Amino acid sequence: EAGVTQSPTHLIKTRGQQATLRCSPISGHTSVYWYQQALGLGLQFLLWYDEGEERNRGNFPPRFSGRQFPNYSSELNVNALELEDSALYLCASSLKGKGRYTEAFFGQGTRLTVV
Amino acid sequence: AQSVTQLDSQVPVFEEAPVELRCNYSSSVSVYLFWYVQYPNQGLQLLLKYLSGSTLVKGINGFEAEFNKSQTSFHLRKPSVHISDTAEYFCAVSRAYTGGYQKVTFGTGTKLQVIP
């Protein structure tokens, strides 16, 4: 069974441009989470999508946005890129929790470099 | 709100020696606790988790961790490390009985360097 897949693996953009990152969850998983892993900062929660809806977002500006498609795959868009947006962006998927623990599985990430 | 502190950013250890990676958390409610491993250029892989029950949790690759509620700690241990254990390790906490991973708070990571 395929795991969580992210594309592209590496992305280089210039300041001010837009970046689009993609994530395909494990088959059957309806929840997709996006995290930013910047150097020395650990993982910061960005966005949570479930069944096509944005359920929660972390403390990031509105230029970080995304969506989830009917097949539960997801896109993260970062507009007006800044140098400090350079980071590893990780996607994870899980079954819907409904008040109980469900394990999330992580993809290998997209390394975004803003120059 | 909850938080996680990983006290050591880097831990060098000789091969076949024991290792302990420290993690402390703060929370006013019941928690779930996790340890993840990240190999270079990889995503995160769950090593072990504490949800409830026995405070000693065994995970993959010979790792174990002990939940200590009075000291609010969840230290990760391995009695004998291998070169292949070289990676970054993340401790994480979430509020118990909440669905979803949006409330999981990660630590800043500890880089384990196993020296041959």
Side-chain angles (χ1 to χ4, degrees), chain B residues 79-101:
Chain B
S80 175
V81 295
H82 190 267
I83 292 289
S84 60
D85 293 323
T86 296
E88 190 161 17
Y89 293 78
F90 291 90
C91 181
V93 63
S94 77
R95 181 174 176 170
Y97 310 114
T98 57
Y101 257 57

Side-chain angles (χ1 to χ4, degrees), chain A residues 84-104:
Chain A
E84 50 265 34
D85 296 332
S86 295
L88 181 68
Y89 289 83
L90 291 169
C91 170
S93 76
S94 76
L95 296 170
K96 190 168 186 176
K98 295 183 181 177
R100 59 180 174 83
Y101 170 76
T102 56
E103 184 171 339

